[in-house]
Amino acid sequence: MNPWTVLGKAEIPNGGGELKLSQREEEFSIRLSGVRGELMNSRVHNSEEALAQLGCAHLKLVENAHVLVGGLGMGFTLAAALKAISSPSKVTVAELIPAVVEWNRGPLGKCAGDPLQDPRTDIHIGDVAKLLFNQNKPAFDAILLDVDNGPEGLTHSDNHRLYSLDGLGGIKKALRAEGMLAIWSAFPDQSFLNRLKKIGFSAKMQTVRARVGKGSRHTIFLAKKL
Ligand SMILES: C[S@@+](CC[C@H](N)C(=O)[O-])C[C@H]1O[C@@H](n2cnc3c(N)ncnc32)[C@H](O)[C@@H]1O
């Protein structure tokens, strides 16, 4: 098998270390520096797509829906969200690291069918928290978060806030009535589920496989604003 070739490296803000994009034949990998390991691999994306399918299931017949995806990664969640919505609707995708957006405009684009080229996609280069916590009225029908390995700040220490009571309260305010918050996680977390319920969401955990019908078991937290 051919060795990995490093295609690019990028700094994570606030001293969060480095992100590295590598390619081996048709396979791409994004890794975090140190012991934190692989963030994303282009061969394993079933649960990233399920995040959007489950989080947007209520939007099939809704016109002018607005979905927020954080972050871009390899674009699988974004592409699945675009498939899940009707055409006058739109998806805003927030990505913290500018190089990840460049990589998706270049070699990574083909992984998920170039979802950044879809006219319904708006890209926000920056922290998804800015879009979540600076709305003066409810703005999104679905918020799909896959920025860490689970409900704790891994990629970026500021992400801890997203999963706190304060952060979840802010996210609930950013959701429209009947809106859905969906969060990807590599593991189940009962205490996080309890926190979602404490904020007033109708919440559950759903297990999805990393590959269709096989592979690791991942968790999608689904929290509906009543
Ligand atoms: C696991 S990847 C996302 C994978 C994506 N679901 C897919 O389908 O390919 C996590 C992404 O979130 C980005 N990220 C981390 N923290 C963020 C934040 N606070 N705001 C926006 N993007 C963030 C990372 O740079 C990375 O691109």
Side-chain angles (χ1 to χ4, degrees), residues 103-173:
W103 299 339
N104 274 271
R105 289 187 174 132
L108 280 185
K110 62 183 175 188
C111 293
D114 276 313
L116 286 182
Q117 306 298 327
D118 191 303
R120 297 170 298 161
T121 301
D122 272 343
I123 178 88
H124 166 84
I125 301 178
D127 196 326
V128 69
K130 271 217 162 138
L131 299 183
L132 289 170
F133 303 135
N134 290 336
Q135 302 294 337
N136 47 22
K137 57 177 188 183
F140 306 109
D141 299 284
I143 294 172
L144 314 175
L145 293 182
D146 179 13
V147 291
D148 293 301
N149 208 33
E152 53 193 27
L154 172 87
T155 329
H156 179 44
S157 54
D158 291 359
N159 285 354
H160 284 302
R161 182 181 173 204
L162 298 173
Y163 316 111
S164 67
L165 280 175
D166 166 57
L168 292 173
I171 291 175
K172 190 161 166 246
K173 281 190 191 140

Side-chain angles (χ1 to χ4, degrees), residues 24-175:
R24 179 174 66 181
E25 296 168 4
E26 293 301 303
E27 181 182 2
F28 293 90
S29 169
I30 297 179
R31 300 187 71 82
L32 291 161
S33 55
V35 291
R36 293 175 299 167
E38 191 169 60
L39 189 62
M40 188 69 213
N41 184 293
S42 59
R43 291 169 62 175
V44 186
H45 47 81
N46 187 55
S47 60
E48 287 77 6
E49 290 163 347
L51 173 68
Q53 289 154 1
L54 295 168
C56 297
H58 62 304
L59 299 179
K60 277 193 185 84
L61 302 176
V62 176
E63 286 199 355
N64 297 312
H66 190 185
V67 177
L68 175 62
V69 175
L72 177 60
M74 294 184 176
F76 292 108
T77 302
L78 170 61
L82 288 163
K83 271 196 197 125
I85 58 172
S86 64
S87 90
S89 300
K90 64 175 181 165
V91 181
T92 298
V93 58
E95 173 51 53
L96 184 66
I97 299 171
V100 172
V101 178
E102 276 169 42
W103 299 339
N104 274 271
R105 289 187 174 132
L108 280 185
K110 62 183 175 188
C111 293
D114 276 313
L116 286 182
Q117 306 298 327
D118 191 303
R120 297 170 298 161
T121 301
D122 272 343
I123 178 88
H124 166 84
I125 301 178
D127 196 326
V128 69
K130 271 217 162 138
L131 299 183
L132 289 170
F133 303 135
N134 290 336
Q135 302 294 337
N136 47 22
K137 57 177 188 183
F140 306 109
D141 299 284
I143 294 172
L144 314 175
L145 293 182
D146 179 13
V147 291
D148 293 301
N149 208 33
E152 53 193 27
L154 172 87
T155 329
H156 179 44
S157 54
D158 291 359
N159 285 354
H160 284 302
R161 182 181 173 204
L162 298 173
Y163 316 111
S164 67
L165 280 175
D166 166 57
L168 292 173
I171 291 175
K172 190 161 166 246
K173 281 190 191 140
L175 275 173

Side-chain angles (χ1 to χ4, degrees), residues 178-223:
E178 308 286 304
M180 182 73 89
L181 165 64
I183 300 178
W184 187 98
S185 175
F187 46 85
D189 183 336
Q190 186 61 45
S191 65
F192 181 64
L193 185 67
N194 293 343
R195 222 176 299 152
L196 287 165
K197 290 180 178 170
K198 194 168 178 184
I199 286 295
F201 284 112
S202 166
K204 63 178 183 176
M205 291 188 277
Q206 186 151 337
T207 303
V208 288
R209 304 298 291 263
R211 297 166 188 257
V212 181
K214 58 185 183 176
S216 313
R217 286 180 164 78
H218 297 153
T219 298
I220 309 291
F221 293 93
L222 291 166

